[in-house]
């Protein structure tokens, strides 16, 4: 390959990976989301690291679990407003039984949520498990995948708010780097499991809503 051809090839790759190109892709995804048929898996918003979960979990005791920080609440509000402005129709909102996920789900969907065991922290509140998720909890992983593979009502998209260990258990350890508020967007398939379309950071939804 000539030097000029190499330069041109690198330039094309750079342009394809540019923020403008990604924004256009997200815009196309939003258009598809308006027709429903997707499940969006979110990791809960930012939390107060000074708080710790007490296991066995005490779901009704807010002092026994880590809560969203004010930053986490504000970003979840902004993200929920962005989804509404973008016209993304939301059907069921499933969450972990822990309050940080419940609160995130309510702020994202603007409606009541359904807390389920399948999405509840599969590391059982273990700090080492949260720091080093390895996707080895097969039972928890199947439960999350079953929920993601369930078709939403016609014209709607379901939301699932969970923890990074559950994401790694369900989809593999390569997703153990999922950030707080990040989303995995899955397209429902009639011929097999739901298919991952993309990963979206919360700020990208917000930027798309403002564009």
């Amino acid at each position: 390959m000539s030097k000029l051809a190499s330069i041109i090839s690198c330039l094309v790759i750079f342009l394809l990976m540019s923020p403008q190109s990604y924004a256009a892709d997200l815009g196309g995804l939003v258009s598809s989301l308006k027709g429903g048929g997707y499940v969006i898996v979110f990791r809960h918003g930012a939390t107060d690291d000074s708080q710790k979960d007490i296991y066995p979990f005490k779901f009704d005791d807010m002092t026994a679990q880590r809560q969203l920080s004010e930053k986490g609440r504000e970003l979840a509000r902004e993200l929920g407003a962005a989804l509404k402005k973008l016209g993304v129709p939301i059907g069921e909102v499933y969450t972990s039984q822990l309050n940080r996920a419940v609160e995130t789900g309510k702020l994202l969907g603007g409606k009541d949520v359904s807390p389920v065991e399948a999405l509840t922290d599969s590391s059982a509140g273990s700090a080492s498990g949260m720091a080093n998720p390895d996707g080895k909890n097969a039972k928890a992983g199947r439960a999350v995948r079953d929920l993601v593979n369930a078709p939403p009502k016609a014209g709607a998209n379901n939301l699932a708010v969970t923890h990074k260990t559950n994401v790694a258990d369900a989809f593999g350890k390569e997703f153990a780097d999922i950030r707080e508020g990040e989303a995995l967007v899955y397209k429902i398939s009639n011929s097999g499991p739901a298919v991952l379309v993309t990963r979206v950071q919360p700020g990208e939804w917000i930027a798309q809503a403002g564009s």
Side-chain angles (χ1 to χ4, degrees):
M1 179 182 291
S2 70
K3 184 176 181 180
L4 177 60
S6 179
I7 292 173
I8 292 173
S9 177
C10 290
L11 179 61
V12 168
I13 292 172
F14 173 79
L15 291 173
L16 288 174
M17 295 178 67
S18 68
Q20 292 87 348
S21 175
Y22 182 79
D25 291 342
L26 183 55
L29 173 61
V30 168
S31 295
S32 297
L33 286 169
K34 291 179 180 178
Y38 291 79
V39 176
I40 309 176
V41 180
F42 285 93
R43 184 183 174 192
H44 60 75
T47 56
D48 182 349
D49 288 334
S50 70
Q51 300 170 329
K52 304 298 179 185
D53 290 324
I54 295 176
Y55 184 78
F57 293 130
K58 300 178 181 180
F59 299 119
D60 295 327
D61 185 353
M62 298 302 101
T63 66
Q65 33 181 310
R66 199 166 80 252
Q67 302 294 320
L68 290 183
S69 64
E70 284 307 314
K71 178 181 177 181
R73 292 187 182 94
E74 183 58 30
L75 187 59
R77 289 189 193 98
E78 291 180 8
L79 180 50
L83 293 173
K84 183 176 181 179
K85 183 176 179 181
L86 290 168
V88 176
I90 297 173
E92 299 297 326
V93 182
Y94 299 103
T95 74
S96 158
Q97 294 164 291
L98 290 167
N99 191 63
R100 56 184 176 271
V102 171
E103 190 174 5
T104 298
K106 289 179 178 179
L107 292 171
L108 291 177
K111 60 171 66 179
D112 288 336
V113 303
S114 299
V116 295
E117 183 178 358
L119 297 175
T120 302
D121 182 7
S122 60
S123 71
S126 165
S128 61
M130 289 300 290
N132 301 290
D134 55 16
K136 290 184 178 178
N137 193 332
K139 181 179 179 181
R142 283 195 301 271
V144 174
R145 290 195 300 274
D146 287 346
L147 190 149
V148 171
N149 290 332
K153 293 180 180 178
N157 308 285
N158 288 346
L159 305 186
V161 184
T162 189
H163 309 266
K164 71 176 180 179
T165 46
N166 299 67
V167 170
D169 289 335
F171 308 117
K173 62 182 180 181
E174 61 268 30
F175 293 97
D177 63 347
I178 187 170
R179 301 176 183 177
E180 291 171 319
E182 183 178 350
L184 308 181
V185 182
Y186 284 85
K187 173 66 175 174
I188 295 299
S189 172
N190 293 325
S191 57
V195 177
L196 177 66
V197 177
T198 191
R199 300 174 67 163
V200 187
Q201 297 300 326
E204 292 166 339
W205 297 107
I206 294 167
Q208 185 68 32
S211 63

